[in-house]
Amino acid sequence: MVGVSCALALQKRGIAVTLIDRREPGCETSYGNAGVLATSSIVPLNNPSLFPKIAGYLGNRHPALNLSWRRALSRPGWLLRFLWEARPSQAAARIAALQALTASTVARHRALMAEAGVPHRLRETGTLKLWRTEAGHAAAQAEHDFLKRHGIESEVLDRQGISAVEPSLNPIFPAGLLIPSVGSVDSPGAVTAAYGRLFAERGGRIEQATITGLARNGAGWRASTAQGAFDADIAVVALGPWSGDLLKPLGIDPKLDVERGYHRHMKPQAGTSLSRPVYDVDGAYYMAPMEQGFRVTSGVDLSFRDAPDEHRQIDGATAAAREAFPLGEAVGETWRGARPTLPDSLPMIGEAPRNPGLWLAFGNQHIGFSTGPITGEMVAAMVCGEAPPIDPAPFRPGRYIA
């Protein structure tokens, strides 16, 4: 999504763009999310509330996290920086940055979906966050108050209120929070692919090839692939969790790491439905109505990016989802992907220090599908010397690249 969005935004400004992807657009990280257009995702992953939860995460008994100690100890500096960035003094600035990045998410996607001929894939029915214990009432109210302070509407629901908006849910949730401004789609992969087709229909060039190297070529840049070399005045690296692999030979370490995640599609039982994605806080999963069935997502798997699958979390999420909703059999295979994350939970958007013409657009962690369009507009505006739609300073590559 980020790469296609950058291509579209540059193309809109009259720049000839070649989009190089080893697969067709929409087949990797942007395929496997909950399809949520997350206008309310303004709290960094590593916020002060993380610290009291750490002890509960370490034994791999919580559904929100699976931690490979071998992986964690391979990059202790990254993990320590991630925890350091969670200190309270950092929270307000990063919340403001994330709100600026997410505020226009639904409007931007609505416009792009109309241009791409897929407006039917957009739902504007909000999302529903759910708690399984009575303590959820206080948690829902606290989140409602927080969102209200930031101008985001929400509604606290009790058990009856939850049943009124989602009657097919089993009545196991005493508390919920409905966030109407959040949008969602019925197939993130199909939406990304539609944006790719729009780019091609407007004259853009899409090359399906694996990039084996990136190097300066005179005043410009050369991308090497098995299908040949591609030369350009500028290069935009938007390879998500693989971005660091391409930059390392250039001597650039963007401090990028990955969080793996899984999803599984389930058939709903006859006569049941969901009108919006729901998030089970205690089960640490999203369940979202999709074209392929109901998509159940897992928590974060902190294993090596290319390690074999570990299905503990997605199996647990599936079992928890069955408690919440009358689900039938699984559809297709369990999917695994990786999300690109930086220590401060903010993406890297801007020109690489000491490398004129090399632009970076990655690290959007869990909200890359949501924030792809504004990321593309920011990159294209800065490339063309325009004022970007929001302040790019919090996302500058120089905060991690010397």
Side-chain angles (χ1 to χ4, degrees):
M1 176 56 74
V2 174
V4 172
S5 296
C6 289
L8 280 168
L10 288 162
Q11 182 186 59
K12 185 172 69 176
R13 288 162 173 80
I15 296 174
V17 181
T18 298
L19 178 63
I20 305 173
D21 198 328
R22 69 180 182 181
R23 303 182 67 185
E24 295 179 357
C27 293
E28 292 285 4
T29 304
S30 296
Y31 173 83
N33 55 83
V36 174
L37 302 179
T39 53
S40 62
S41 293
I42 63 173
V43 179
L45 299 173
N46 48 343
N47 61 79
S49 72
L50 174 66
F51 293 114
K53 300 174 184 176
I54 289 176
Y57 287 156
L58 296 183
N60 282 344
R61 293 183 298 271
H62 197 286
L65 181 68
N66 181 70
L67 175 64
S68 162
W69 282 103
R70 182 167 168 264
R71 177 268 176 97
L73 294 175
S74 71
R75 296 191 71 186
W78 192 97
L79 187 59
L80 290 172
R81 182 65 180 265
F82 182 83
L83 294 173
W84 173 246
E85 294 283 4
R87 63 196 191 279
S89 62
Q90 299 297 101
R94 287 189 292 136
I95 288 170
L98 283 172
Q99 184 163 18
L101 198 66
T102 58
S104 62
T105 286
V106 174
R108 290 180 186 278
H109 275 284
R110 188 192 301 120
L112 278 174
M113 284 187 219
E115 293 174 30
V118 290
H120 60 283
R121 295 200 178 275
L122 175 63
R123 287 185 299 255
E124 298 194 54
T125 52
T127 56
L128 182 59
K129 198 167 184 177
L130 301 164
W131 286 264
R132 292 184 176 227
T133 68
E134 294 298 330
H137 291 290
Q141 186 63 52
E143 186 162 340
H144 166 81
D145 294 342
F146 168 81
L147 292 174
K148 184 177 180 180
R149 290 196 298 272
H150 290 85
I152 299 171
E153 178 188 353
S154 65
E155 180 182 358
V156 177
L157 302 177
D158 58 14
R159 201 183 304 267
Q160 289 71 34
I162 293 167
S163 294
V165 296
E166 292 292 359
S168 293
L169 281 174
N170 293 329
I172 65 170
F173 300 104
L177 187 70
L178 179 66
I179 309 175
S181 64
V182 176
S184 60
V185 304
D186 67 356
S187 177
V191 171
T192 309
Y195 293 176
R197 288 194 300 273
L198 177 65
F199 167 73
E201 289 165 2
R202 291 175 171 174
R205 178 183 179 186
I206 298 179
E207 292 287 344
Q208 191 169 338
T210 299
I211 298 179
T212 57
L214 182 67
R216 190 181 296 282
N217 181 38
W221 291 87
R222 170 170 291 174
S224 301
T225 77
Q227 283 77 18
F230 298 86
D231 296 331
D233 296 327
I234 67 167
V236 180
V237 176
L239 286 173
W242 297 276
S243 298
D245 297 356
L246 192 62
L247 295 172
K248 185 176 180 181
L250 296 171
I252 298 174
D253 178 7
K255 304 299 185 290
L256 183 70
D257 214 325
V258 302
E259 306 168 54
R260 304 200 316 171
Y262 303 79
H263 79 231
R264 183 176 286 162
H265 290 123
M266 311 293 295
K267 285 185 178 179
Q269 292 185 13
T272 62
S273 64
L274 271 181
S275 299
R276 55 187 59 79
V278 300
Y279 183 71
D280 181 343
V281 175
D282 302 290
Y285 68 87
Y286 256 110
M287 181 164 53
M290 293 281 178
E291 187 176 58
Q292 306 95 321
F294 281 14
R295 178 175 292 184
V296 178
T297 69
S298 73
V300 170
D301 176 14
L302 290 182
S303 301
F304 287 107
R305 185 189 63 197
D306 301 321
D309 286 4
E310 167 54 71
H311 283 176
R312 177 188 69 84
Q313 289 171 292
I314 191 62
D315 288 344
T318 303
R322 289 190 183 280
E323 296 170 354
F325 192 90
L327 293 170
E329 62 195 47
V331 181
E333 300 294 322
T334 298
W335 180 92
R336 187 197 83 215
R339 311 174 186 98
T341 302
L342 291 158
D344 60 2
S345 297
L346 300 180
M348 188 168 284
I349 306 171
E351 194 171 23
R354 299 178 288 103
N355 287 274
L358 179 61
W359 293 81
L360 310 180
F362 53 78
N364 299 64
Q365 32 96 8
H366 293 245
I367 56 174
F369 181 76
S370 297
T371 58
I374 192 169
T375 301
E377 284 294 325
M378 292 172 69
V379 168
M382 288 188 284
V383 165
C384 295
E386 304 170 7
I390 64 171
D391 182 6
F395 315 104
R396 65 194 184 283
R399 71 192 197 276
Y400 290 125
I401 300 172

